[in-house]
Amino acid sequence: MSEFEPKIVAFFCNWCTFTAADLAGTSRLSYPPNIKIIRVMCSGMVDPKFVLKAFLNGADGVLVGGCWPGDCHYINGNFKARRRVALLTEILKQYGIDEERFWLRWIAASEGNMLKEVADLMTAKLRELGPSPLQQMGQMVG
Amino acid sequence: MAEKKPTGTVLVAGAGISGIKAAIELAEVGYKVLLTDASTQIGGILAKLDYQFPTDHCGMCRMLPMVGREYSSQYCMRKSLFHENIEIMPFAEIQAVHGDAGNYKVDLLKRARYVDPSLCNELEECIAVCPVEVADEFNHGLTKRRAIYQAIPHNTPKMLAIDMQACTSCGECVKVCTSGAINLEAQDEMETREVHSIILASGVKLYNTREFEDAKSYAVSPDVVSSLAFERMMSSSGSYRDGEIKRPSDGKPAKNIAWIQCMGSRNRRQKRDYCSSICCMFALKEAVLAKEKGGPGVESTIFYMDMRTFGKGFQQYRDDAVEKHGVNLIRCRVQGVMKKPDGALEIRYFDPETNEFFIKEYDLVVLSTGQIPYETHKKWADLLNVGLDSRGLLATEEYSKIRLAGKPGLFICGSLMGLTDVSEAMSSGIAAAGEATKFLCGIGADTVKEEEIPEPTANERELSQVSVALCKCGEKPGAEGIDYALLSAELQKYHSVGEVQIVESFCKDNGETAAVDILSQTKCNRLLIGACQPFMYRQNLKNVARKAGFNSSLVEVFDLFGIARQGMTQPSIKEWTMRAAHEVRADIEKLNFKPALHVSALPINQNALVVGGGFGGMQSALSLAIRGVPVHLVEKDGQLGGYLGNNVEATVDGLAPMAKAQDMQLKVYQNKNITVHLNCEVESTVGTLGSFESKLVYKDSGETSYLHHGAVIMATGGHEGATTEYGLGTSDLVMTQGQLKKGLASGDIDVSGTENIVMIQCVGSRQKEGRRYCSRICCMWAIANALKIKEKNPDARVFILYRDVMTYGFYEQYYSKARTAGIIFMNYSLDNKPQMEMVEGKPVVKFMDTVLNEEIELTADLLVLSTGVDPEESNNKLASAFKVGLNDDGFLAEADSKWRPIEFQQVGLYLAGTAHSPMPLKSVIMQAEAAAQKAYAYLSGREVHTAGVVSKVKDAHCIRCQRCVNICPYGARSYDDMENCISVDPAACQACGMCAVECQNNAAEVAGWTDKQLFAVIDAKLMDDLLLSPVE
């Protein structure tokens, strides 16, 4: 069996982090294809159920990327995201999903290299952690 | 039949932020704009600034339109700009301007880029093979670039160009370019355009340490950089790496950093007797950021002459920089920088607080380089045949910063007026657009009439069948990275894909007709278009789709090349194609579940309400009325004019507010579109967007009336502050600057026999208790009064005790004039305020002389206090009536301090003048003009076209908990107690989706971003790649 390749669902805000991903792409900064980018308008738009859905459907990690605090195009959406992510992390832990699998990062539009860094780090971390416990459970059942 | 009017066209020269803002504003009203820039790209100085205070991040996207979002870009502004009515022409210079107002013919020199952006496939192989390396101007030489290059790394489309001065014409790039975009023989071209009006927004040249003699003692090492270069050192697209600020000379982390202010400005010997206005805040921001981004142990020190924190929120930022971030501020003019053999930079300075000389070493020295305005102004004066004023600047009309004197149809904005911060650049851009709009209305130019393409109806209950149309980009071999046959075969395997069509080209004229033909044959009900640069062509593509019978809300566009390229280094064609196929699945899924969206049009009441009858109010009322808008002007006092117009005869820069107010009043009363309500206040307001009903109360009679209006401009102004300090009110010899000004003008105060006059600045201002802000105008008032006294009695000794002299911009010359006239300026600090006691009926002032370092006692014949500017009490009532915020100081809180200075979150509400913050008369008039333009743009639309993507309520699921109402940042949601339901104002909603997340019952959702769609997207993204891999 080949080496474990984690699947990471990444919810990126349209204004900052998605642009950073675009910048990384156009500046030829390659980041691992493990990161599956889903563009949302704001990190505050990321409903906890999207995160749960991602974990349930086989994601090994979820990354939420938004604008830096004070910088949200929608005034304060990223603050709301921060609050929700903090709560959700606690809940996920109770179901055996390590907090290392659920990241929230602020990446501004100009920070293409930071996006690459985060993508690399998270992929490496998840390779270390192995498949999500939900998937292992799924395999046992299946 | 009515005569066909020409479509109003405006040339905006200079695509920095003020030019962009002016262009967007004009485009929103419906005029055509040609936006040119002398550089290869757009964005101006701001393209280099990743961080702007007070958030210390970027908020450029906030200047995009809030309504009619579909017509403009909806992505990061640093990439580029797109608007249907704006044609962008970078790398073009104006060579000559013929004709007159309303009929200009402009000769434009379009410089050769040598790379045709319309052919370029952006694969950048040419850059990789280019053997020439030169310093990159964008990063101020901190990095290298090739001769063929992209000037701004984050711009899209990339718009490559060749620097012919560096190019060796080796031809390597031509060989690797498969799309034939490179032509080394390309020539500059001339083009003549006809426009009605011209807005100059070309900015200023910045002082450069290499060019000027007086900089030699500073620029001793590569580690002495300009403030703009330092900005690039903190940017990750510059030289910022590994969480450290790298020294240019050896790449070592810079830990001890010094800023030297006023580099190139405030220098009379060099005939630069002005202040560059923005450098103090610029340096404070950089000093704070350096501490945040430079890793542990960074020390920031700013050497300054006066810390000019005159704008809204500036003083607060300074206090935070010092108290929270530990930035050192030292008031001292540093004479030079010495380079030590080990590369360290040595600064010798005198610390006025300790009265000692110090020699300190720094790793990096940042020079706060100011503006060099004259050259730019001279160039424009010659080109346009307009006059220069005595200072050598373009002559504007007396009370305007925007209108060029004697030249209707020609306007300036942005840093051409003198270096401006972002907020002022925004106001000036809008104001310039306003002046141009007024001009175009005057000559009867028309706005763009959109081609009416009826929206095909959509049957949402039909099973989704997606037609995928892939654009081949004509013969442009840019798509060579993708195997169309393979991609099309892959996509056809996918459920819900009805057919895959390959279209020659969407964007070319004949291609469009062909595309319509192909697509109208289809039996599918949804359409997914794969093309390049979707953000540029989205609206066009949607029009094509509409003509072919697709409801445009059921059409999605994806970037065929962009997504495939994401994160891949050197993909093979197959890998690339498979990646694209994979990525497209998510788009198909999202489209499958997308509901048809409906755009609604809400009528706007055509009346405007202007609150406040001072200069701001009168100017905005007149500006709107001239354009035919009925205006109701409400003033709480018995006469128009406000504080300034009723109390101040002359200002330091030679304006006569009282006379001007008389003149404007006359115009207001003569204008049949303006109804004036005196002794009247707005009590409360009901209604929402486009249709407000305000209750007006007349103070004298107690009568009330109700007014229907669509927009409101709040221009409540302010008045001179009060204080109990320094015995004000206890003696006739102690007075405020306002009282002195009046007394001097009327002759009630006679200074012919007075010996000592002491003025104390910042009384009750810029401190924790009282006014925390700088009132911006008191220094100019004090100087004006002091000069007046000197004029009447040259023997009088005038002392001005100040903390920082805020004579920013070209006001600096009056500070110089005052010192030449023998007025004595003495600095004091907040912890050592001047003291006063009455001795034998005369005020005796005690203060520290910071030069001699000893205490001085002065018996004053007159003690004059600068007590600042207070906002009006009535702001409270107004704020609660319109549900807008006040800041801690009692001024109205605008939507965004930098990018939306004259708007509130809700459209239709605007502010101008001192209601925003204290400002000089010309700035008030500029803001009023800008507010009027915003209100006009909004009202002239006649109806608000809401965006299709807005939030909705599923009433059956809703439990009326109103959590969504509370969380909505735009106040778009409200609880309707008559109907017992939650209603959404579709014009206020910006589709951020906060409500959808907050709602526990899934009753709130954003059309186009529903749970169903997102779930399907997540599934598609997680689907095993193997499912789609081709059978070998």
Side-chain angles (χ1 to χ4, degrees):
Chain A
M1 175 154 169
S2 63
E3 209 183 312
F4 165 66
E5 281 300 333
K7 281 184 187 174
I8 301 167
V9 173
F11 296 98
F12 285 168
C13 118
N14 174 60
W15 301 93
C16 290
T17 318
F18 189 76
T19 307
D22 201 40
L23 177 63
T26 53
S27 344
R28 295 284 189 283
L29 292 167
S30 71
Y31 51 85
N34 307 55
I35 305 278
K36 320 264 181 214
I37 299 173
I38 297 177
R39 182 179 69 103
V40 290
M41 291 311 281
C42 177
S43 53
M45 190 188 236
V46 180
D47 198 315
K49 60 186 178 252
F50 299 160
V51 179
L52 295 176
K53 170 89 178 168
F55 276 118
L56 284 169
N57 284 27
D60 300 298
V62 172
L63 169 63
V64 178
C67 305
W68 282 84
D71 212 19
C72 179
H73 181 78
Y74 301 108
I75 304 164
N76 52 16
N78 48 4
F79 286 112
K80 289 164 186 159
R82 181 162 71 181
R83 217 165 51 195
R84 282 189 200 113
V85 166
L87 272 172
L88 189 56
T89 307
E90 292 305 312
I91 296 166
L92 286 174
K93 271 199 267 184
Q94 295 176 21
Y95 292 89
I97 297 174
D98 199 291
E99 57 190 313
E100 305 268 27
R101 293 185 184 275
F102 183 35
W103 291 24
L104 172 67
R105 289 293 180 275
W106 310 131
I107 302 172
S110 58
E111 297 174 324
N113 54 351
M114 185 163 163
L115 184 117
K116 174 191 156 53
E117 234 167 77
V118 169
D120 285 347
L121 272 176
M122 187 162 185
T123 312
K125 185 79 214 170
L126 287 177
R127 279 203 191 109
E128 219 173 89
L129 287 175
S132 141
L134 293 185
Q135 257 179 273
Q136 290 164 2
M137 243 178 336
Q139 275 159 10
M140 278 187 323
V141 174
Chain B
M1 213 174 108
E3 199 185 334
K4 196 175 176 294
K5 291 192 227 160
T7 305
T9 317
V10 181
L11 170 77
V12 179
I17 50 162
S18 59
I20 290 176
K21 187 67 197 170
I24 291 178
E25 291 300 318
L26 286 163
E28 260 193 285
V29 178
Y31 295 118
K32 283 277 180 201
V33 181
L34 176 64
L35 180 62
T36 66
D37 199 273
S39 77
T40 54
Q41 312 276 348
I42 68 165
I45 290 179
L46 255 289
K48 293 184 180 181
L49 306 189
D50 287 8
Y51 312 100
Q52 304 117 28
F53 89 96
T55 61
D56 296 341
H57 284 286
C58 178
M60 211 163 162
C61 56
R62 292 185 199 145
M63 74 196 224
L64 289 170
M66 300 282 286
V67 276
R69 301 201 292 278
E70 271 96 349
Y71 299 100
S72 173
S73 350
Q74 278 291 296
Y75 53 82
C76 171
M77 274 291 299
R78 296 166 69 79
K79 283 179 157 186
S80 184
L81 166 73
F82 168 75
H83 193 290
E84 295 230 300
N85 293 340
I86 303 175
E87 180 188 346
I88 298 175
M89 192 191 280
F91 219 21
E93 268 173 57
I94 297 176
Q95 291 285 301
V97 179
H98 315 283
D100 217 336
N103 184 23
Y104 288 110
K105 282 196 179 63
V106 185
D107 294 340
L108 291 157
L109 175 72
K110 289 161 73 180
R111 296 211 180 273
R113 308 180 72 94
Y114 308 98
V115 184
D116 184 345
S118 68
L119 292 178
C120 175
N121 59 17
E122 305 194 349
L123 292 177
E124 291 188 359
E125 275 159 29
C126 49
I127 296 183
V129 298
C130 179
V132 186
E133 268 203 341
V134 288
D136 185 352
E137 304 87 347
F138 181 71
N139 282 330
H140 292 251
L142 297 166
T143 56
K144 298 265 187 232
R145 64 160 172 84
R146 305 295 171 90
I148 183 164
Y149 70 113
Q150 181 190 7
I152 302 179
H154 36 70
N155 261 178
T156 322
K158 289 197 165 174
M159 310 267 275
L160 302 188
I162 296 178
D163 174 0
M164 264 303 155
Q165 277 174 328
C167 177
T168 55
S169 297
C170 67
E172 287 301 318
C173 51
V174 182
K175 280 184 227 158
V176 293
C177 179
T178 48
S179 57
I182 304 174
N183 174 13
L184 294 175
E185 307 298 312
Q187 296 292 323
D188 294 352
E189 284 170 32
M190 289 298 287
E191 188 175 332
T192 303
R193 290 293 189 97
E194 290 183 20
V195 295
H196 296 105
S197 169
I198 301 175
I199 295 176
L200 307 178
S202 59
V204 281
K205 209 176 147 195
L206 289 186
Y207 180 80
N208 174 338
T209 44
R210 258 159 285 156
E211 255 174 74
F212 293 95
E213 199 57 27
D214 51 330
K216 285 210 172 133
S217 58
Y218 298 96
V220 293
S221 149
D223 296 334
V224 179
V225 298
S226 73
S227 42
L228 265 185
F230 186 71
E231 211 60 50
R232 300 313 304 155
M233 293 170 67
M234 286 191 301
S235 165
S236 32
S237 53
S239 67
Y240 182 73
R241 297 284 179 280
D242 320 316
E244 274 170 343
I245 296 163
K246 310 276 191 207
R247 228 158 68 153
S249 63
D250 52 11
K252 284 192 187 146
K255 292 294 178 192
N256 214 349
I257 309 173
W259 279 258
I260 303 178
Q261 296 304 100
C262 303
M263 197 51 61
S265 47
R266 298 187 70 188
N267 187 338
R268 285 172 78 191
R269 249 178 303 164
Q270 300 289 338
K271 296 201 169 57
R272 291 194 289 264
D273 193 13
Y274 51 75
C275 152
S276 284
S277 310
I278 64 158
C279 320
C280 284
M281 295 316 291
F282 212 95
L284 279 172
K285 175 200 75 179
E286 288 189 342
V288 168
L289 275 170
K291 295 206 82 142
E292 275 182 0
K293 297 182 75 77
V298 169
E299 280 300 317
S300 302
T301 307
I302 303 178
F303 293 99
Y304 70 102
M305 292 168 41
D306 287 288
M307 192 48 74
R308 293 189 166 162
T309 51
F310 54 83
K312 193 176 192 177
F314 290 13
Q315 181 65 31
Q316 188 69 34
Y317 191 84
R318 171 194 167 156
D319 293 345
D320 286 351
V322 175
E323 288 158 22
K324 289 195 190 148
H325 300 279
V327 173
N328 304 319
L329 300 182
I330 298 172
R331 183 192 291 272
C332 172
R333 181 74 183 155
V334 174
Q335 290 308 321
V337 181
M338 298 269 285
K339 188 184 172 191
K340 306 254 288 189
D342 63 349
L345 300 163
E346 190 180 275
I347 292 180
R348 209 171 108 89
Y349 67 92
F350 176 77
D351 189 337
E353 282 188 23
T354 55
N355 260 342
E356 276 176 89
F357 269 104
F358 286 97
I359 298 174
K360 283 231 174 101
E361 285 183 9
Y362 296 90
D363 303 323
L364 188 73
V365 172
V366 184
L367 304 178
S368 287
T369 44
Q371 56 181 329
I372 310 281
Y374 305 117
E375 263 174 68
T376 330
H377 283 247
K378 178 86 178 55
K379 188 194 96 186
W380 283 121
D382 291 345
L383 254 176
L384 299 165
N385 193 22
V386 297
L388 292 171
D389 65 11
S390 57
R391 294 165 298 174
L393 304 173
L394 285 168
T396 52
E397 285 180 14
E398 207 179 0
Y399 286 87
S400 174
K401 297 172 97 168
I402 305 290
R403 298 157 70 104
L404 285 186
K407 283 280 174 178
L410 279 186
F411 311 105
I412 65 170
C413 66
S415 290
L416 204 55
M417 313 183 307
L419 264 182
T420 54
D421 69 337
V422 174
S423 145
E424 207 172 345
M426 289 294 105
S427 309
S428 69
I430 305 168
E435 294 285 6
T437 307
K438 265 200 287 189
F439 177 75
L440 292 172
C441 286
I443 60 168
D446 214 346
T447 51
V448 177
K449 293 284 171 284
E450 267 179 71
E451 187 189 357
E452 292 276 339
I453 309 168
E455 185 73 82
T457 49
N459 185 355
E460 287 177 61
R461 284 162 188 268
E462 245 173 35
L463 194 66
S464 166
Q465 279 280 302
V466 178
S467 168
V468 183
L470 304 170
C471 179
K472 260 185 100 170
C473 244
E475 287 313 304
K476 173 173 161 181
E480 64 170 358
I482 288 194
D483 180 340
Y484 279 90
L486 177 59
L487 182 59
S488 136
E490 280 304 317
L491 291 176
Q492 242 143 17
K493 288 184 201 163
Y494 203 66
H495 78 94
S496 81
V497 169
E499 58 178 12
V500 181
Q501 301 278 7
I502 295 170
V503 177
E504 277 304 312
S505 162
F506 272 106
C507 51
K508 308 267 171 3
D509 295 337
N510 46 355
E512 192 180 307
T513 338
V516 171
D517 279 349
I518 295 175
L519 295 175
S520 40
Q521 310 290 324
T522 179
K523 296 209 163 48
C524 299
N525 50 13
R526 277 149 212 256
L527 176 63
L528 184 66
I529 300 174
C532 59
Q533 315 291 9
F535 49 87
M536 284 184 73
Y537 301 123
R538 177 161 281 144
Q539 201 57 36
N540 263 351
L541 294 173
K542 288 208 168 183
N543 283 345
V544 170
R546 214 185 278 181
K547 283 182 196 159
F550 288 92
N551 181 297
S552 61
S553 66
L554 299 181
V555 179
E556 276 292 331
V557 186
F558 71 92
D559 185 348
L560 190 51
F561 309 118
I563 52 166
R565 204 183 294 150
Q566 258 170 34
M568 296 181 90
T569 32
Q570 285 294 319
S572 70
I573 289 182
K574 196 178 129 194
E575 267 177 321
W576 194 331
T577 310
M578 292 312 294
R579 181 79 181 265
H582 185 114
E583 294 287 341
V584 172
R585 290 186 311 203
D587 289 291
I588 296 172
E589 284 299 346
K590 199 171 163 205
L591 187 57
N592 270 340
F593 292 103
K594 194 174 182 189
L597 308 176
H598 305 284
V599 172
S600 51
L602 310 169
I604 305 173
N605 184 303
Q606 290 297 297
N607 288 324
L609 167 67
V610 177
V611 186
F615 279 102
M618 288 197 290
Q619 181 69 28
S620 18
L622 281 169
S623 179
L624 282 170
I626 288 168
R627 289 178 251 190
V629 175
V631 184
H632 290 264
L633 181 59
V634 172
E635 164 60 45
K636 68 174 176 8
D637 288 333
Q639 76 245 24
L640 296 177
Y643 179 81
L644 200 58
N646 287 311
N647 292 291
V648 178
E649 193 157 296
T651 65
V652 74
D653 46 349
L655 303 179
M658 278 166 85
K660 176 73 178 169
Q662 286 296 327
D663 177 46
M664 280 173 80
Q665 254 185 64
L666 200 66
K667 282 188 187 149
V668 165
Y669 283 116
Q670 278 171 350
N671 197 309
K672 63 180 187 336
N673 285 331
I674 304 179
T675 317
V676 180
H677 304 258
L678 292 176
N679 292 314
C680 177
E681 278 193 274
V682 177
E683 178 77 19
S684 59
T685 297
V686 291
T688 60
L689 202 78
S691 159
F692 295 107
E693 190 189 52
S694 291
K695 182 179 175 188
L696 306 181
V697 179
Y698 298 87
K699 278 193 282 190
D700 291 349
S701 55
E703 279 174 40
T704 56
S705 73
Y706 291 87
L707 177 71
H708 287 270
H709 57 100
V712 59
I713 295 175
M714 302 177 208
T716 48
H719 55 267
E720 190 174 38
T723 185
T724 51
E725 282 184 272
Y726 300 109
L728 182 69
T730 60
S731 159
D732 285 349
L733 300 181
V734 183
M735 61 186 69
T736 65
Q737 291 286 1
Q739 288 163 344
L740 175 65
K741 205 179 241 296
K742 260 189 147 171
L744 285 174
S746 65
D748 291 345
I749 295 172
D750 181 19
V751 288
S752 56
T754 35
E755 214 173 303
N756 287 332
I757 294 152
V758 179
M759 297 181 175
I760 303 177
Q761 299 302 101
C762 297
V763 175
S765 294
R766 297 173 65 207
Q767 58 188 37
K768 291 274 148 29
E769 309 79 36
R771 281 173 294 277
R772 296 181 310 163
Y773 52 91
C774 163
S775 294
R776 196 162 174 170
I777 55 164
C778 328
C779 286
M780 274 76 99
W781 278 38
I783 288 171
N785 282 342
L787 284 170
K788 190 93 185 169
I789 291 169
K790 276 284 189 187
E791 191 188 300
K792 294 194 172 187
N793 175 9
D795 296 330
R797 293 199 294 167
V798 186
F799 298 86
I800 298 182
L801 309 183
Y802 71 97
R803 282 169 58 202
D804 292 280
V805 178
M806 301 283 183
T807 48
Y808 65 96
F810 296 104
Y811 288 113
E812 177 75 8
Q813 57 184 316
Y814 305 108
Y815 180 31
S816 303
K817 192 176 163 191
R819 283 182 302 173
T820 315
I823 292 158
I824 302 155
F825 287 83
M826 298 278 210
N827 180 250
Y828 77 88
S829 63
L830 194 55
D831 47 16
N832 200 1
K833 280 193 190 178
Q835 304 294 318
M836 192 279 287
E837 53 183 344
M838 295 299 278
V839 178
E840 293 167 7
K842 278 199 169 182
V844 176
V845 185
K846 265 194 250 174
F847 60 93
M848 280 297 281
D849 181 327
T850 46
V851 179
L852 300 171
N853 204 30
E854 59 189 40
E855 193 159 89
I856 291 186
E857 248 186 56
L858 255 178
T859 306
D861 300 303
L862 269 184
L863 176 61
V864 191
L865 308 176
S866 288
T867 53
V869 176
D870 275 347
E872 292 298 328
E873 283 289 316
S874 55
N875 283 356
N876 283 315
K877 212 182 257 179
L878 204 57
S880 67
F882 288 98
K883 299 182 192 74
V884 297
L886 290 180
N887 71 3
D888 296 340
D889 304 319
F891 292 99
L892 294 168
E894 67 278 27
D896 184 274
S897 70
K898 281 263 171 279
W899 298 98
R900 295 173 63 202
I902 53 161
E903 298 160 62
F904 293 102
Q905 287 305 351
Q906 197 182 346
V907 265
L909 311 180
Y910 310 98
L911 77 164
T914 304
H916 169 277
S917 64
M919 59 181 77
L921 177 52
K922 279 188 186 181
S923 299
V924 170
I925 287 183
M926 184 177 83
Q927 271 211 347
E929 200 56 63
Q933 168 66 8
K934 290 301 290 183
Y936 175 74
Y938 171 65
L939 293 172
S940 68
R942 309 244 157 217
E943 43 193 28
V944 195
H945 288 271
T946 64
V949 180
V950 287
S951 122
K952 299 246 156 41
V953 185
K954 285 189 274 187
D955 196 58
H957 294 196
C958 176
I959 58 163
R960 278 80 172 151
C961 67
Q962 300 184 37
R963 291 171 62 139
C964 57
V965 176
N966 296 329
I967 204 164
C968 178
Y970 298 96
R973 286 180 163 251
S974 56
Y975 174 65
D976 183 343
D977 50 3
M978 298 290 279
E979 299 284 331
N980 182 28
C981 69
I982 302 289
S983 59
V984 180
D985 181 342
C989 174
Q990 298 290 311
C992 64
M994 303 299 152
C995 49
V997 186
E998 191 69 8
C999 181
Q1000 297 166 310
N1001 292 351
N1002 292 344
E1005 67 174 17
V1006 178
W1009 292 93
T1010 59
D1011 289 355
K1012 231 185 197 171
Q1013 285 178 281
L1014 261 296
F1015 283 165
V1017 170
I1018 295 169
D1019 280 343
K1021 288 276 176 182
L1022 284 169
M1023 195 185 287
D1024 220 330
D1025 292 0
L1026 294 173
L1027 285 182
L1028 266 174
S1029 62
V1031 184
E1032 295 285 328

